[in-house]
């Protein structure tokens, strides 16, 4: 179970600075390509052996200059729905504002674990000023300076103390978990129904581990897995306003709990930014992925349609574009069986262990053919390769100067691995280690 921590509060209280500090320099997953660069919204953090996700709700508000009370209240409601722990951030310089008051009211009623964090407290006088925030009725206050980082250690100690579960090592479940993800209205429910539609007697629902998402145990045609449908989860009333935020929140939870994700695109709309965001989310969580282009029956086709569409998708999701792409229709059940075959194949590829001798034989030859470029007159020598004992495929390349091996060369190594072994649809991690 992955814990989610949400940061809420008015604009300009320092939410993004705290977010960046908690997730350190790890890239955030959601980066809009078109238009305005939004704040980075979703990242991974680790403290005292606990891995957790951090969501900066502020990044989701459009034009934060003219933000309304309504927008912030919506963020608070979303955080209450989705997060285990909520960090409510206020600014010591402005004291309690009406907006802080109304957010505090929502949070007090929510029965959620809320930590009230007073930011910009960087001297003793401000520590004294911070005590006014006890007036919000949310209990203990935590004073921090998100710019310098003072106070964040104590805050994080408290955050992980509030998590409902002990830190657990990720364990591989016996039965593969396959999750259908995608933007709202791309046909996730129809796909789930097509996959499990007939022979209802074989389908026994397993009580949901992920709140609200529908988990169905599937066992036929020689395949056994749990199908998780994230569709039909959006609460009515919230749908139109903050669809994007909501679908991302839901997707995060579902993706983190799965082995392979079926990312559904709408053929009539092409690949959109939100689809690319969800794809990166799957990749960052190191899950297997199969891209499905749904509603293919509704598209006017010429002889090059699938080829053009495939190229457009690969271009948008690069550099990791060694993924299966299937053109399907959930309503006409076109290629539905192929979807299952492909998902199970990706699941198996993600689990494969490669013999060390075979790995070294092939990879050292590739390295000899194209050695790492020298940096500052220093030559990198890679002596040995091994696969690490992790759930997802990770490889360590042992060499004399790991710090000089840059991303383009790691991509070269990854491409050679993909050429020699079947890792289609599976993200690969490459680490350079000192030998």
């Amino acid at each position: 179970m992955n814990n989610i921590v949400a940061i809420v509060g008015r604009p300009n209280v320092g939410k993004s600075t705290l977010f960046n500090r908690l997730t350190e320099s790890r890239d955030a997953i959601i980066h809009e390509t078109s238009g305005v660069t939004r704040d980075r919204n979703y990242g991974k953090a680790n403290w005292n052996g606990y891995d957790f996700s951090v969501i900066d709700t502020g990044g989701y508000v459009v034009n934060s200059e003219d933000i309304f009370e309504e927008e912030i209240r919506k963020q608070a409601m979303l955080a209450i729905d989705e997060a285990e722990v909520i960090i409510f951030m206020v600014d010591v310089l402005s004291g309690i504002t009406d907006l802080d008051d109304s957010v505090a009211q929502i949070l007090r009623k929510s029965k959620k674990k809320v930590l009230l964090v007073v930011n910009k407290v960087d001297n003793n006088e401000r520590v004294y000023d911070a005590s006014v925030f006890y007036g919000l009725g949310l209990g203990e206050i935590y004073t921090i300076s998100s710019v310098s980082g003072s106070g964040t250690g104590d805050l994080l100690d408290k955050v992980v103390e509030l998590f409902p579960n002990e830190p657990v090592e990720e364990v591989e479940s016996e039965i593969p978990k396959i999750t259908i993800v995608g933007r709202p209205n791309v046909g996730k429910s129809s796909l789930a129904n097509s996959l499990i539609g007939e022979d209802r007697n074989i389908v026994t629902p397993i009580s949901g581990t992920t709140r609200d998402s529908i988990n169905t145990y599937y066992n036929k045609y020689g395949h056994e897995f749990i199908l998780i449908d994230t569709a039909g989860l959006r609460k009515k009333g919230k749908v139109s306003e903050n669809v994007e935020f909501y679908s991302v929140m839901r997707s995060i939870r579902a993706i983190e709990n799965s082995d392979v994700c079926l990312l559904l695109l709408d053929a009539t709309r092409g690949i959109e930014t939100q689809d690319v965001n969800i794809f990166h989310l799957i990749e960052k969580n190191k899950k297997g992925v199969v891209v499905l282009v749904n509603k293919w029956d509704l598209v006017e086709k010429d002889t090059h349609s699938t080829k053009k569409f495939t190229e457009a998708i690969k271009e948008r999701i690069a550099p990791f574009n060694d993924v299966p792409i299937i053109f399907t229709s959930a309503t006409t059940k076109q290629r539905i069986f192929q979807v299952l075959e492909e998902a199970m194949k990706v699941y198996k590829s993600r689990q494969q262990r490669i013999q060390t001798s075979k790995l070294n034989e092939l990879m050292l030859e590739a390295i000899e053919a194209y050695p790492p470029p020298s940096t500052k007159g220093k030559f990198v020598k890679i002596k040995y390769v091994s696969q690490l004992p992790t759930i997802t495929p990770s490889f360590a390349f042992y060499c004399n100067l790991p710090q000089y091996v840059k991303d383009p060369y790691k991509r070269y190594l990854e491409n050679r691995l993909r050429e020699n072994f079947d890792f289609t649809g599976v993200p690969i991690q490459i680490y350079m280690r000192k030998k």
Side-chain angles (χ1 to χ4, degrees), residues 52-279:
F52 55 97
S53 304
V54 186
I55 291 175
D56 167 14
T57 58
Y60 282 92
V61 174
V62 201
N63 317 334
S64 58
E65 302 313 303
D66 53 326
I67 182 166
F68 316 117
E69 194 171 342
E70 190 43 33
E71 274 298 350
I72 292 190
R73 288 179 39 167
K74 269 189 303 207
Q75 288 170 26
M77 298 307 292
L78 287 164
I80 288 167
D81 278 350
E82 295 299 330
E84 272 69 43
V85 177
I86 298 170
I87 291 177
F88 173 32
M89 209 162 180
V90 291
D91 177 348
V92 72
L93 302 178
S94 54
I96 295 177
T97 66
D98 293 349
L99 207 44
D100 293 335
D101 226 5
S102 68
V103 174
Q105 225 171 334
I106 298 172
L107 295 176
R108 278 200 307 272
K109 285 187 198 142
S110 76
K111 309 277 188 287
K112 267 284 155 103
K113 296 163 183 166
V114 179
L115 298 176
L116 177 56
V117 173
V118 186
N119 192 20
K120 306 181 189 173
V121 179
D122 43 20
N123 60 37
N124 287 342
E125 192 181 318
R126 288 185 181 175
V127 171
Y128 175 75
D129 293 343
S131 57
V132 64
F133 289 98
Y134 281 111
L136 288 172
L138 286 165
E140 194 54 53
I141 58 174
Y142 293 82
T143 56
I144 68 163
S145 161
S146 59
V147 174
S148 72
S150 73
T152 48
D154 294 346
L155 172 64
L156 281 168
D157 285 345
K158 188 64 188 171
V159 166
V160 298
E161 191 186 304
L162 293 176
F163 287 154
N165 49 354
E166 292 302 302
V168 283
E169 283 304 301
E170 197 185 346
V171 283
E172 193 65 44
S173 63
E174 292 305 298
I175 303 180
K177 292 202 207 53
I178 297 177
T179 301
I180 304 173
V181 292
R183 288 181 299 98
N185 309 326
V186 287
K188 297 190 287 290
S189 290
S190 322
L191 177 69
N193 292 340
S194 301
L195 287 172
I196 51 191
E198 63 278 17
D199 303 319
R200 276 283 165 182
N201 56 342
I202 303 176
V203 177
T204 54
I206 286 185
S207 65
T209 40
T210 322
R211 270 186 314 126
D212 299 321
S213 65
I214 304 151
N215 292 14
T216 311
Y217 172 70
Y218 179 106
N219 187 356
K220 54 185 171 184
Y221 309 124
H223 294 308
E224 181 185 25
F225 56 86
I226 290 169
L227 185 70
I228 303 168
D229 169 21
T230 56
L233 296 174
R234 294 167 293 133
K235 296 203 169 53
K236 293 189 174 48
K238 289 193 181 147
V239 178
S240 53
E241 300 128 352
N242 232 331
V243 165
E244 189 164 330
F245 185 52
Y246 220 69
S247 64
V248 169
M249 280 284 236
R250 291 297 196 202
S251 303
I252 288 168
R253 178 74 87 198
I255 288 166
E256 287 178 339
N257 291 322
S258 64
D259 297 304
V260 178
C261 297
L262 305 177
L263 172 59
L264 214 52
L265 311 182
D266 181 335
T268 61
R269 296 175 66 163
I271 181 164
E272 301 187 322
T273 305
Q274 178 69 352
D275 301 321
V276 178
N277 289 342
I278 296 175
F279 179 83

